[in-house]
Structures are given as structure tokens and as C-alpha cells.
Amino acid sequence: MAKRGRISKSQRSTAGVVEVPTGTRPDGPVAGVYYIDTGDCELLQDQDNSNGWLLKINGVMSSHIDLSDPLYLDFEYMRWIAALVESRWPREQKPKLRALHLGGGACSMARYFHAAYPEARQVVVELDGKLAEYVRGWFDLPKAPMLRIRVGEARQVTESLTPDSRDLIIRDVFAGAFTPRALTTREFTAHADSVLAPDGLYVVNSGDAPDLKNARADAATIADTFEHTMIIADPAMLKGRRYGNMIMAGSHAPFGDDPTLARRLLGGGVPAHIWDDAKVRAFAQGIPVRHDPVTVETLGEGPSASAE
């Protein structure tokens, strides 16, 4: 889910609540406010694009969909993720990508990857079952098994998956300004690592304030788990000048030096830079790795359960 996105004054809707009968789903997008399991969401038509729709969840801009073009991504951080993934798995090779999306929203990224990789098999984990039903009704999402929406808590679902069963995991879950801590710890990241294939890619959307405390902790935890790391962000964010998003990635396979990726990131509406593994580890130096809290149960499991 995006923690920033464009919305003009003309797009600030005062639409009323849209009532959807129990047991049914919408038949296409209709602007308005919808009650969901975790609060409410608002669907707004993009005033700059007649085929575009914006989704706000509990007052926070979450997603953008262009019904006519699944390869169009309105949010810059999603474009950065797409560029990184396509650098690892070029489209022309037509890989049968196995992707897990933690955090659903409008399924913008999953819809993009279906268009980019038609043989991909994807699972989107969404906590809010009502929202998942609405999104299926609003947008032209691929059907199962190409795209399945699994309702559940992201960590529980990840821990239930078979080892080496995914090529790509994208963590894009927010509760307010930050990702829930349970999805940021070394223990969870290790679970994600175990689900990935040996050359798999773990990507997170890390939101932070100018102090970059959260981003540094995310970087430290990912760097402690994976042999190779990378950060993509715009220069103002990297210098701690504003609140925004950093895209972080971890893998046991080297990222390499892809000049095409660098050019693509610089060519967007918000040009982004790449930090390689050495810069990521320098950025995270001295920052404690996040761990699950120690409980009575974990204390009984032996020394390996102690926090570092």
C-alpha cells in the first residue's frame, strides 16, 4: 500500500456510502465510501484519467488502477519495484514467476505482473475479506490460479507456505504510517527467506520519516538475513529530507550491475538512485536487528530464542 500518492482538491470526494447487499460484490467500480472489515475505504475516479481509479483505505491513499492499461503504475514506488523485478527476470524470457504479495489494496502490482508475465502464478494476501471481495468486483483482475486473493494475516500465511515455493515476495503492508512490527523482525524475514527459491527476491516497501530510524532498522534486518541487498529511493528520501518510501530488497543471488535498471529508475517522474550492498550495510551499521519479543514460551526453547 502506498503511503503517498497524488490526489487533487477536485478528487476529494464527498460521495456517500455505497450499500452492497450481503453476499454480493460490486459489478464494476462505483465512486463512494464502502464499509469494510477493518473500517472503510473510498473509491474515487481519477480526474486526470477517465480509466483510472484511486483507492483510499481508512483515509490513507492506497492504490491506483488504470482499467485500460494494467502496465501503467501511477505510484512511483511501484514503478521502482517493477523495474527491479524485471531486471532480475526480463520479460522477454517469459519466466513462470511465482509471486507472493503481502498486502493487497487494489492488487495493482499483481495486475501489472500478470500483464508483464502472463504465465506467472500469484497469491495476494489481504487481511480484509470485505475489501478483497470489493476489489474483485471493481477491477478486471485475473482469475485463479493465475491470481488468488487469500484472506488472512500476512505473517501467518507466510509461515504456512512450503519452502522454496516462491520466486518473489513483496511486503507492502501498513497499519498507519508503518508496517506492523511482526512483519519486520528477523524471525519473520527468515520465514520469508525459507519460502523463497535459492535465487528468490524479497522486496519491501519501507515508509519512514526524515530521521530514517525505521528504514535503517529494516535495512539492518534484511542485511542480517540475505547475502545481497539493495535500496531504491529518490535522493531527498535517501538524504532524510522528507517522509516517503524506500524500496529495499534482499537475495542470496547477486543483483549485479544493470545499467538498464539505473537508466529506467532515473527516467521516471521522480528519479531514483540505487544503493548497492555496501551502501546498504553502511546505512544500517550500528542499528540493532529487529527481533520478535521474548515471551515465556520462547524462553523455554533454549538459547536460540533470546533477543540480540
Side-chain angles (χ1 to χ4, degrees):
M1 278 180 205
K3 301 317 293 175
R4 58 186 176 92
R6 60 179 179 81
I7 179 167
S8 66
K9 289 183 179 180
S10 62
Q11 292 168 322
R12 291 175 187 153
S13 172
T14 56
V17 173
V18 179
E19 298 289 350
V20 180
T22 303
T24 65
R25 64 171 57 157
D27 184 17
V30 175
V33 176
Y34 296 75
Y35 293 128
I36 55 177
D37 294 337
T38 58
D40 64 66
C41 66
E42 185 174 6
L43 193 62
L44 306 106
Q45 192 153 22
D46 186 343
Q47 300 301 309
D48 299 322
N49 177 357
S50 61
N51 293 305
W53 290 88
L54 293 148
L55 177 64
K56 295 173 69 177
I57 298 176
N58 294 319
V60 177
M61 188 58 65
S62 166
S63 307
H64 179 278
I65 287 280
D66 185 323
L67 292 177
S68 66
D69 185 5
L71 290 173
Y72 176 75
L73 295 171
D74 193 65
F75 294 161
E76 288 292 343
Y77 87 89
M78 291 187 180
R79 296 180 194 177
W80 301 342
I81 293 174
L84 174 60
V85 171
E86 290 173 25
S87 175
R88 173 64 63 95
W89 295 286
R91 283 198 229 175
E92 59 269 21
Q93 296 179 7
K94 299 181 179 180
K96 296 181 179 180
L97 197 66
R98 302 167 299 168
L100 175 68
H101 302 260
L102 304 179
C107 296
S108 305
M109 290 282 358
R111 189 169 172 266
Y112 178 95
F113 285 130
H114 176 72
Y117 305 104
E119 295 187 68
R121 298 292 181 98
Q122 302 184 83
V123 174
V124 174
V125 181
E126 172 55 57
L127 181 65
D128 194 301
K130 195 66 176 176
L131 176 63
E133 282 294 311
Y134 285 155
V135 167
R136 275 287 186 199
W138 288 331
F139 307 124
D140 57 333
L141 299 181
K143 305 298 183 183
M146 308 315 290
L147 173 58
R148 293 190 296 115
I149 301 179
R150 180 169 173 178
V151 177
E153 192 276 321
R155 177 158 178 164
Q156 292 176 355
V157 172
T158 304
E159 292 176 349
S160 73
L161 298 177
T162 304
D164 300 342
S165 62
R166 299 294 187 275
D167 302 301
L168 170 67
I169 296 176
I170 299 175
R171 189 201 82 190
D172 192 10
V173 182
F174 284 87
F178 298 102
T179 300
R181 184 180 175 86
L183 300 177
T184 67
T185 65
R186 176 64 168 80
E187 290 75 16
F188 170 75
T189 309
H191 281 298
D193 182 20
S194 72
V195 170
L196 286 169
D199 64 344
L201 184 62
Y202 181 60
V203 181
V204 309
N205 177 18
S206 179
D208 207 356
D211 61 21
L212 300 182
K213 289 182 179 179
N214 182 67
R216 284 192 166 93
D218 267 345
T221 304
I222 293 170
D224 193 62
T225 309
F226 293 96
E227 297 173 67
H228 306 278
T229 62
M230 174 187 287
I231 287 178
I232 298 173
D234 65 90
M237 188 67 198
L238 292 170
K239 294 176 181 177
R241 292 180 178 172
R242 64 172 182 81
Y243 174 83
N245 301 74
M246 285 189 182
I247 296 306
M248 301 185 183
S251 180
H252 294 296
F255 287 102
D257 184 14
D258 182 358
T260 302
L261 173 61
R263 287 196 298 269
R264 184 171 172 182
L265 294 172
L266 287 172
V270 180
H273 292 178
I274 300 171
W275 276 1
D276 61 14
D277 186 75
K279 288 185 177 179
V280 174
R281 293 180 189 276
F283 176 67
Q285 187 173 8
I287 304 300
V289 172
R290 285 200 191 99
H291 283 274
D292 288 344
V294 177
T295 65
V296 173
E297 289 78 10
T298 57
L299 283 173
E301 294 174 1
S304 62
S306 63
E308 296 179 6

